[in-house]
Amino acid sequence: MTSPTDRVPSVPEPTGPSAGVPDDLDALRRRTVAVLAAAQVLGGLAAGSVVTVGSLLAVRLSGTEAWAGSVTTASTLGAALAALGLARLAVARGRRRALSTGLALAAAGAVAVVAAAVLASFPLLLVGGVLMGVGGAVNLQSRFAATDLSTSATRSRDLSLVVWTSTIGAVVGPNLVHLDASAMRLTGLPELASVFAFAAVGLLAALVVVQVGLRPDPLDVAGRRDGAAGERRHVPLRVALATLRRHPRSAGAVLGMLAAHAVMVAVMSMTPVHMQGHGAGVNLVGLTVSLHLAAMFAFSPLVGLVADAAGPLRVLVAGMVLVVLAAAVCGVAGGDHVLVTVGLGLLGLGWSAATVAGSAIVAGDVPGPERIAVQGLSDAAMSLAGAGGGALAGVVLASVGYAGLNAVSAAVGVLAAVVVLVVSRRAGRAVSAT
């Protein structure tokens, strides 16, 4: 049920599917994308902080590099746990309520991380990481929310613009470590803790933007446009899985996104530890990860345009190829920080192509409430893949080193790309046969 402020303006005695839909739907679509983009800028501060500073804080509080990826793992696990719940909440109460709830939980997580640093509590750090991961689920759902009012001609572009605006927060986040010394003097917080205080402020600001700006709710408007006004029903997980089986192209797209995300998290979360082991300072580590995050997000509008023009499947496969190439470059880099940075840049670009194109396939192929459920399932699976990648990365790094970690990552990418191509071609033949 929506609140009175969320209701879409209605016309007297509605007589068709378009009743209650604003006259200028394209203007509402553009405004919705702008609101989501602004929230992504502010919420991105948290994502960037978790990746770099979270790894360093985990080593400091745990006393061992084996736990270096624990905060990233906790964060991605939190995103996985939240994704299906937020999708269910979106179906029941709309996108605005779902996104706002997620941002509130993520802000609480950032405060918990600050408290963990103050109390030198590693378990509390992990709890904070899990809650901050809910913000990751919000980021993932936001890209799908941008497509609620899209057409086939604008879907990839709208989605990619929301992904792109994460660049600002994601690049600034790791580099807030430059302000850490000044914040320590002003607040008395321990080293690295103030970075997460900044993240909490950004998440709360994003919450305000969503609450104020996302009216009317785009999912409500889309339902009225499509003749499903007021349709609010939970789609069970088994139905979402069955829906993917009926849409093999979307299933292949989800698999490609999972593999790209797992590889990206595994390599990215271990790179700060690898670089510090080869003499890099915290500022250089922050800059390197910032450039990686910039590559993840900055080129997404171009990726979206190409996907709309050439087809998202081609862009998805190209992204998988870039992920494999990136792992190869990082694997042979050794102590060459420049080469590591190049590899991470390629990794970010490959992730962008796979995520934007794969998400566009899912958003375009699956109809109705099942689409929201599949989107939630996709987000949860991506986060679980990232959690698995982050959890195993530390063990693999300790066992076979950074080069071995990248060799395993490249093998995963190759296997996934082959499966995506096979599944998609079978789906194409099935469509042609009908």
Side-chain angles (χ1 to χ4, degrees):
M1 181 178 295
T2 56
S3 64
T5 53
D6 284 334
R7 291 174 186 157
V8 182
S10 59
V11 296
E13 299 181 4
T15 59
S18 62
V21 178
D23 292 334
D24 196 346
L25 196 59
D26 189 59
L28 179 58
R29 175 186 65 82
R30 293 194 301 270
R31 182 164 69 84
T32 297
V33 171
V35 169
L36 292 168
Q40 289 287 83
V41 171
L42 297 165
L45 294 173
S49 301
V50 167
V51 171
T52 304
V53 186
S55 297
L56 301 176
L57 195 54
V59 172
R60 179 166 301 172
L61 295 183
S62 69
T64 173
E65 290 186 352
W67 289 96
S70 60
V71 176
T72 301
T73 301
S75 177
T76 50
L77 182 60
L81 294 173
L84 289 172
L86 291 181
R88 183 174 182 176
L89 185 58
V91 172
R93 304 298 296 274
R95 293 287 193 189
R96 181 174 65 86
R97 182 65 61 87
L99 297 178
S100 297
T101 300
L103 288 167
L105 290 172
V111 173
V113 172
V114 174
V118 172
L119 301 173
S121 172
F122 182 64
L124 184 56
L125 175 68
L126 296 182
V127 172
V130 170
L131 288 173
M132 288 191 72
V134 181
V138 170
N139 289 341
L140 291 173
Q141 188 175 122
S142 293
R143 79 193 193 282
F144 283 127
T147 68
D148 286 340
L149 301 175
S150 298
T151 65
S152 58
T154 66
R155 185 173 295 115
S156 297
R157 189 186 324 160
D158 291 344
L159 187 153
S160 65
L161 284 172
V162 172
V163 173
W164 172 70
T165 52
S166 301
T167 307
I168 299 172
V171 171
V172 171
N175 287 288
L176 289 175
V177 71
H178 294 298
L179 303 177
D180 199 50
S182 299
M184 285 172 60
R185 290 192 296 269
L186 290 173
T187 65
L189 291 173
E191 186 180 6
L192 303 179
S194 61
V195 175
F196 291 92
F198 293 132
V201 172
L203 288 164
L204 290 173
L207 190 157
V208 172
V209 168
V210 168
Q211 277 287 331
V212 173
L214 212 60
R215 300 170 186 265
D217 192 287
L219 203 54
D220 285 346
V221 175
R224 299 192 180 201
R225 178 195 62 187
D226 300 335
E231 183 176 348
R232 298 294 197 194
R233 63 184 180 88
H234 171 53
V235 179
L237 179 60
R238 66 179 182 278
V239 175
L241 291 170
T243 301
L244 275 180
R245 286 194 293 270
R246 294 196 307 272
H247 296 84
R249 203 171 83 113
S250 290
V254 170
L255 175 63
M257 290 190 290
L258 299 190
H261 194 65
V263 170
M264 185 274 294
V265 171
V267 175
M268 179 177 61
S269 63
M270 291 301 103
T271 295
V273 178
H274 169 74
M275 292 182 68
Q276 282 201 327
H278 285 81
V282 65
N283 290 339
L284 178 58
V285 172
L287 176 62
T288 299
V289 175
S290 292
L291 293 174
H292 163 73
L293 294 171
M296 287 175 64
F297 303 121
F299 298 101
S300 55
L302 177 60
V303 171
L305 288 172
V306 173
D308 280 335
L313 179 59
R314 290 188 178 91
V315 175
L316 171 61
V317 174
M320 298 303 301
V321 172
L322 283 174
V323 165
V324 173
L325 178 60
V329 172
C330 288
V332 301
D336 188 337
H337 299 318
V338 173
L339 201 55
V340 169
T341 301
V342 171
L344 280 190
L346 290 172
L347 182 63
L349 185 58
W351 178 91
S352 178
T355 301
V356 169
S359 299
I361 291 172
V362 172
D365 283 9
V366 183
E370 287 79 9
R371 182 182 73 253
I372 311 301
V374 169
Q375 289 170 353
L377 175 62
S378 169
D379 290 347
M382 276 185 68
S383 298
L384 284 174
L392 294 174
V395 177
V396 175
L397 180 69
S399 301
V400 296
Y402 190 66
L405 170 65
N406 280 282
V408 173
S409 298
V412 170
V414 169
L415 179 61
V418 171
V419 173
V420 168
L421 282 173
V422 170
V423 170
S424 298
R425 286 178 178 174
R426 287 181 179 175
R429 287 197 294 269
V431 171
S432 299
T434 58

